[in-house]
Amino acid sequence: MSKGLTYLVACVAVVIALASIACASPASTMSSRAIEASNGLLPDDQAWLSIPASSDPLSCTDHVAVPALNDVVVAKWSPDSTRLAVARVIIIPSRLTITGYEEDPVISVLDISTNGVREVGQGNRPEWSGTGTFLSFWKNDGYLHILQGDKNVGTIEVSQPDAKWVGDVLYYWYAEEIRTWDRGVTATVSRVANDLVPRYPRDNAFFSADGERFTITRYSTDGTTKRYIGETATGEMTALDAPDITYTEWSPRGETLLMRSQDRLALLERDGTVKSELLANLPGPVHEWSSDGRLLLGTLSPTMPAGNTWDRFWVWDGSADGGFATLPNVFGARMFSPDGRHFTGVSRTGVEGTQLELYQCGIAVSAVAMPRAETTARSRLLRIASEGHRFVRPVAGMVVQFLQGSHTGVDVAAPFGSLLFAVEDGVVNAVGWVPVGGRRVCVMHDDGLESCHYHTSLSLVAIGDHVVQGQPVALVGLTGQTGGPHVHWEVKRDGRIVDPLAQ
């Protein structure tokens, strides 16, 4: 479907009961185009809310003007927080698709200090080395390329798409070997047992932020998964005894591992300590990370359009009060710069198009009011409505397969763990595993239309929830039969397949 392309620890038992997430969903009478969600309305109607005074660096409310970078799928900060490498989508003519065009990724580098943009060319999944000297990325030839400035200094064959820079040394997988690339010199660090060799995309491997550990997730066609955690230096692994977990993710600092099921969240530390909590006791199902590796939890306001309001995210470290972050409801590449001074994401410019957005953090929040919604929100909504399509694209991603031939939906590729959104208002009518499609979330809309997201790793809603257009409903995954992380977006009218892009 899509284009192709973890100190030995004690066995940690985290028994998690399967249940539906108790999400705080917007009311069924709420129109997505009214944007009366969470703590923000449209600009002319923005309510003033009483909150404590704060100059916390996690308050990111000051919009920063940057050059127009459209249809961004991935954004990665350089270590010194001065540059953003973004992978974005361009349209190219094609005689092989029913639409007459294809979408292809290109990489651009934005210099924050000068607002200058340098075009790198075709590529995806950019990653900076620890000093920013090197930039690695994938090209359509299936190889990992390494740039130093404008010069290609390395072309590497890699068997797993996740590669981790530790300083200016790149760690990557080649079959059973964990290897390094160091300024043109490759070396083998360790080997894993033959029966545990990760084979992508049946297996998914990720390194911790410091490169010292890794995880391997092995997916089965019956919906079960086996998870392992390993030591990079030795290749030794142990099973992660957590059968109900459907999603894991490393913190951007150190070796903390986030583990999520449908009703519980846990943090596994290096020493084996586990901090766990029911999602029903937490402020929302959407998670992200601060620049120093603290977990943020909350509810993301509907992204119609993104950036029109601000959300309060709780800093959760297992304690009762870790503080709060105030963040814009941008989506896609949501992340802090390494120095914590900026926050980035994308907003919608149309039912499918997006643009890069940048916000400055550390701005004082009034003791009596939340910041007003951005003045462009209403005009963006009108522009989106004028396009004449009822469905928005479910993820900030790139279409890699259209509805044609025997293919029953539209495949949109996006990074593993990306937020998936409801394409229109409706009621969740299906959540769970199905053959081939893996984990799915389906929403019933008006006029007998049903939209489904397949291959997800985690649902953020439950059957019976009322959702609005642009509300997060799931995370991108690799479940079912898939060639890489993407969503198979399928729409039916009265049980018959229809083209999502034509609605």
Side-chain angles (χ1 to χ4, degrees):
M1 290 179 176
S2 71
K3 297 179 180 177
L5 299 166
T6 282
Y7 203 125
L8 178 63
V9 297
C11 183
V12 180
V14 183
V15 180
I16 301 174
L18 287 174
S20 298
I21 292 178
C23 294
S25 301
S28 60
T29 56
M30 184 186 302
S31 168
S32 64
R33 292 178 173 82
I35 311 300
E36 298 178 358
S38 185
N39 51 7
L41 305 177
L42 284 174
D44 295 345
D45 309 312
Q46 173 69 29
W48 290 86
L49 305 175
S50 178
I51 62 171
S54 172
S55 58
D56 194 305
L58 294 181
S59 174
C60 307
T61 60
D62 189 23
H63 188 261
V64 179
V66 294
L69 290 172
N70 298 321
D71 304 321
V72 171
V73 178
V74 179
K76 292 299 177 74
W77 286 96
S78 63
D80 63 1
S81 302
T82 64
R83 292 166 292 169
L84 267 170
V86 299
R88 56 194 186 86
V89 177
I90 62 170
I91 302 298
I92 58 176
S94 173
R95 296 180 179 179
L96 302 178
T97 65
I98 195 170
T99 59
Y101 68 88
E102 292 181 350
E103 298 188 356
D104 202 42
V106 296
I107 295 177
S108 306
V109 176
L110 168 65
D111 189 314
I112 301 302
S113 61
T114 66
N115 266 350
V117 177
R118 176 171 65 92
E119 298 299 341
V120 174
Q122 197 277 332
N124 203 355
R125 299 176 62 98
E127 296 284 351
W128 296 95
S129 69
T131 66
T133 301
F134 302 106
L135 177 66
S136 63
F137 60 94
W138 290 89
K139 297 187 72 171
N140 286 345
D141 59 9
Y143 289 91
L144 188 65
H145 294 256
I146 301 174
L147 290 184
Q148 183 176 8
D150 293 326
K151 182 181 178 182
N152 190 316
V153 295
T155 301
I156 310 173
E157 187 175 2
V158 180
S159 60
Q160 284 280 329
D162 182 61
K164 177 62 63 178
W165 286 100
V166 180
D168 286 341
V169 178
L170 182 70
Y171 285 74
Y172 65 95
W173 288 89
Y174 184 78
E176 78 280 5
E177 297 182 357
I178 297 177
R179 295 181 175 181
T180 58
W181 179 94
D182 186 356
R183 296 181 181 270
V185 178
T186 61
T188 298
V189 175
S190 61
R191 292 178 172 86
V192 300
N194 289 335
D195 60 336
L196 293 177
V197 176
R199 293 179 173 85
Y200 187 80
R202 186 192 72 173
D203 307 322
N204 206 13
F206 289 100
F207 290 104
S208 60
D210 58 13
E212 293 190 5
R213 294 202 292 171
F214 61 89
T215 53
I216 291 179
T217 302
R218 177 158 291 176
Y219 302 95
S220 299
T221 55
D222 62 1
T224 60
T225 58
K226 293 182 179 180
R227 299 178 187 273
Y228 303 88
I229 191 164
E231 174 72 17
T232 301
T234 64
E236 295 179 353
M237 285 185 273
T238 187
L240 188 61
D241 187 10
D244 296 329
I245 288 174
T246 66
Y247 181 82
T248 60
E249 180 179 290
W250 291 105
S251 162
R253 292 284 186 271
E255 301 171 35
T256 300
L257 183 67
L258 169 66
M259 305 183 295
R260 294 194 59 171
S261 71
Q262 293 306 117
D263 69 339
R264 185 176 289 273
L265 175 149
L267 294 176
L268 172 63
E269 302 295 347
R270 168 75 182 198
D271 61 4
T273 302
V274 177
K275 302 172 184 177
S276 180
E277 185 59 81
L278 289 170
L279 278 169
N281 298 330
L282 296 171
V286 176
H287 78 266
E288 50 200 275
W289 303 90
S290 66
S291 60
D292 56 1
R294 290 176 291 169
L295 186 68
L296 309 180
L297 294 166
T299 300
L300 179 65
S301 295
T303 60
M304 280 297 292
N308 72 297
T309 190
W310 283 264
D311 298 316
R312 298 280 276 171
F313 275 75
W314 187 29
V315 182
W316 187 77
D317 59 3
S319 64
D321 185 10
F324 288 90
T326 305
L327 304 175
N329 68 321
V330 290
F331 63 110
R334 289 172 60 91
M335 64 185 305
F336 287 88
S337 59
D339 62 9
R341 295 181 179 181
H342 291 94
F343 186 80
T344 189
V346 302
S347 65
R348 296 187 189 273
T349 57
V351 293
E352 297 182 45
T354 65
Q355 68 181 18
L356 183 72
E357 303 288 0
L358 185 66
Y359 293 81
Q360 186 177 346
C361 304
I363 304 301
V365 178
S366 168
V368 296
M370 284 288 284
R372 284 192 179 272
E374 295 180 46
T375 56
T376 58
R378 191 176 298 278
S379 62
R380 276 185 282 160
L381 282 174
L382 292 173
R383 185 167 62 250
I384 292 170
S386 70
E387 293 187 10
H389 294 281
R390 59 187 295 175
F391 291 154
V392 295
R393 186 171 294 203
V395 66
M398 175 179 65
V399 173
V400 292
Q401 192 166 355
F402 294 94
L403 175 67
Q404 62 185 101
S406 61
H407 191 247
T408 59
V410 173
D411 287 351
V412 188
F416 185 87
S418 297
L419 286 167
L420 287 163
F421 302 93
V423 297
E424 192 187 51
D425 300 4
V427 178
V428 178
N429 66 329
V431 173
W433 176 270
V434 292
V436 182
R439 295 186 179 276
R440 67 171 177 173
V441 173
C442 297
V443 177
M444 183 61 69
H445 312 286
D446 291 340
D447 304 329
L449 277 171
E450 178 192 50
S451 65
C452 291
H453 301 340
Y454 291 95
H455 308 309
T456 69
S457 57
L458 182 77
S459 66
L460 304 178
V461 291
I463 292 177
D465 284 351
H466 292 263
V467 297
V468 298
Q469 191 174 47
Q471 176 181 337
V473 296
L475 303 183
V476 170
L478 275 170
T479 59
Q481 295 182 14
T482 174
H486 75 282
V487 58
H488 177 78
W489 176 26
E490 189 172 286
V491 175
K492 294 180 180 179
R493 173 178 276 112
D494 299 325
R496 302 188 65 172
I497 295 290
V498 297
D499 187 356
L501 301 179
Q503 303 310 304

